[in-house]
Amino acid sequence: MDHAADAHRTDLMTITRFVLNEQSKYPESRGDFTILLNHIVLGCKFVCSSVNKAGLAKLIGLTGEINIQGEEQKKLDVLSNEVFIKALVSSGRTCILVSEEDEDAIIVEPSKRGRYCVVFDPLDGSSNIDCGVSIGTIFGIYMVKDDHEPTLADVLQPGKQMVAAGYCMYGSSCTLVLSTGKGVNGFTLDPSLGEFILTHPDIRIPKKGKIYSVNEGNAKNWDGPTAKYVENCKFPKDGSPSKSLRYIGSMVADVHRTLLYGGTFMYPADKKSPSGKLRVLYEVFPMSFLMENAGGQAFTGKQRALDLVPTKIHDRSPIFLGSYDDIEEIKALYAAEGKKE
């Protein structure tokens, strides 16, 4: 990328302009999705600003309450959750919201209802705020096909039914990565303009990567295929160089690196968490949606991740996602294990 030339660009593709351009390809479109996305973007800008001054504004400390996942809530989690709920409801385009922070789904009051369901993790990796590690917001969007009273069935759908998904990463820069089902694009917040500018058009994950990302602290509890794959990464049998281990422990940051550089991100099931640890609706599905739209794959150890049908809004699942060839290797190991049984 020519940064010197970029500094003098005058034709800036903002996220709003980008989405409006996409909308113009569908003459029947009413602009509802564009309005909803604008409200999500506003929420991301607000959280980005809050994250940047969290230490100064004393927003880091624990509130003393414990959320539905048994994690002590941080003030910034609570603030981010409130901001996104208010932004989404006020858009007038949503009918049901599922947040990682709330035990129950939020049914939007009839006067403010629209035809979209939004599932989101308002601040993923928030335990990393104190040490300056990148954190982020993850979201997925479903569309309700007909006018009816919204129910949980509207969100308990396989990930392949999503119409869009994305994440916003708050790190050295604020980056929003979005897919509406046709490719993946990355936008970076220009603080001087207060606008997200298209900086990573049409992201494609390399077909094979040199990095694997997993919490090796859980290795003693892994199943056979996971242990064998990691062993192959470190000690390849075919004479190829060993893969590098990179694990940040913040899903948005780990997936972002995987998307750009290739390789695999894994959070497998183990003896401690037999159903996996990551939540299906607002972590596994959106990231799998992005990965597939960038030319990669996402697998649960048993099936394609986007084919999973959740039964509860906070269901968990194992996940392996990343470069196409690398995930093929993991699938082959699970298939071989299945034949042994």
Side-chain angles (χ1 to χ4, degrees):
M1 189 182 274
D2 185 349
H3 291 288
D6 276 357
H8 299 289
R9 274 192 314 174
T10 51
D11 183 29
L12 299 173
M13 178 61 81
T14 66
I15 192 163
T16 309
R17 182 177 154 198
F18 180 85
V19 175
L20 284 169
N21 282 0
E22 288 299 301
Q23 183 193 315
S24 66
K25 295 174 188 172
Y26 303 94
E28 73 285 2
S29 173
R30 301 191 314 212
D32 287 353
F33 180 73
T34 308
I35 291 166
L36 172 61
L37 213 56
N38 271 338
H39 281 74
I40 291 173
V41 166
L42 179 63
C44 291
K45 287 178 188 173
F46 186 95
V47 173
C48 178
S49 162
S50 302
V51 167
N52 285 341
K53 56 186 184 224
L56 295 170
K58 300 231 181 336
L59 286 167
I60 288 175
L62 299 168
T63 63
E65 292 173 19
I66 290 189
N67 76 355
I68 169 66
Q69 311 301 338
E71 301 160 340
E72 286 195 65
Q73 280 189 305
K74 298 209 158 190
K75 288 178 190 170
L76 208 49
D77 290 20
V78 181
L79 180 75
S80 308
N81 195 37
E82 286 174 5
V83 164
F84 274 101
I85 289 169
K86 285 180 176 148
L88 291 165
V89 171
S90 67
S91 72
R93 301 298 181 275
T94 58
C95 57
I96 185 164
L97 311 176
V98 172
S99 165
E100 191 249 4
E101 298 291 336
D102 295 316
E103 187 164 0
D104 299 314
I106 297 160
I107 308 287
V108 178
E109 60 185 91
S111 63
K112 293 183 177 166
R113 259 179 218 165
R115 54 187 179 149
Y116 292 101
C117 309
V118 183
V119 293
F120 62 100
D121 186 343
L123 206 61
D124 184 72
S126 54
S127 59
N128 289 313
I129 302 167
D130 299 22
C131 57
V133 168
S134 296
I135 53 181
T137 299
I138 310 172
F139 61 90
I141 303 171
Y142 290 104
M143 190 166 90
V144 180
K145 296 288 186 288
D146 45 32
D147 291 326
H148 63 264
E149 192 65 23
T151 65
L152 283 186
D154 293 319
V155 285
L156 294 176
Q157 298 186 59
K160 62 186 175 188
Q161 303 291 356
M162 280 185 171
V163 292
Y167 59 80
C168 187
M169 184 174 73
Y170 315 111
S172 52
S173 59
C174 180
T175 309
L176 195 150
V177 174
L178 174 72
S179 174
T180 55
K182 293 181 180 65
V184 179
N185 291 280
F187 304 81
T188 304
L189 184 64
D190 181 333
S192 61
L193 297 173
E195 289 280 6
F196 279 100
I197 308 296
L198 180 64
T199 49
H200 296 73
D202 195 21
I203 298 170
R204 304 297 294 169
I205 185 170
K207 203 159 184 299
K208 195 169 175 58
K210 298 174 183 168
I211 295 170
Y212 72 103
S213 183
V214 65
N215 182 354
E216 289 219 42
N218 294 330
K220 68 172 185 178
N221 296 317
W222 287 343
D223 61 15
T226 302
K228 194 157 181 27
Y229 177 74
V230 171
E231 180 77 5
N232 292 347
C233 289
K234 295 174 177 180
F235 307 102
K237 308 277 192 297
D238 58 2
S240 59
S242 303
K243 291 187 191 292
S244 297
L245 168 66
R246 296 283 183 273
Y247 186 71
I248 298 163
S250 178
M251 188 190 191
V252 172
D254 278 314
V255 170
H256 187 65
R257 182 202 56 248
T258 305
L259 201 55
L260 296 183
Y261 299 163
T264 49
F265 168 80
M266 303 174 273
Y267 211 115
D270 58 31
K271 294 184 189 113
K272 206 168 59 177
S273 310
S275 301
K277 186 137 180 279
L278 297 177
R279 272 68 61 137
V280 173
L281 274 181
Y282 41 79
E283 289 175 329
V284 170
F285 279 172
M287 294 312 201
S288 301
F289 186 90
L290 289 166
M291 214 41 88
E292 285 200 5
N293 275 287
Q297 291 195 79
F299 178 62
T300 67
K302 291 181 178 159
Q303 65 185 119
R304 174 191 177 208
L306 291 178
D307 287 341
L308 257 182
V309 182
T311 54
K312 294 198 275 304
I313 60 172
H314 298 295
D315 271 2
R316 297 171 189 259
S317 168
I319 185 67
F320 302 84
L321 48 79
S323 294
Y324 193 93
D325 289 355
D326 294 328
I327 301 299
E328 278 296 305
E329 194 181 325
I330 293 171
K331 283 160 83 171
L333 289 168
Y334 271 96
E337 180 87 353
K339 281 179 189 153
K340 278 188 219 163
E341 286 171 6

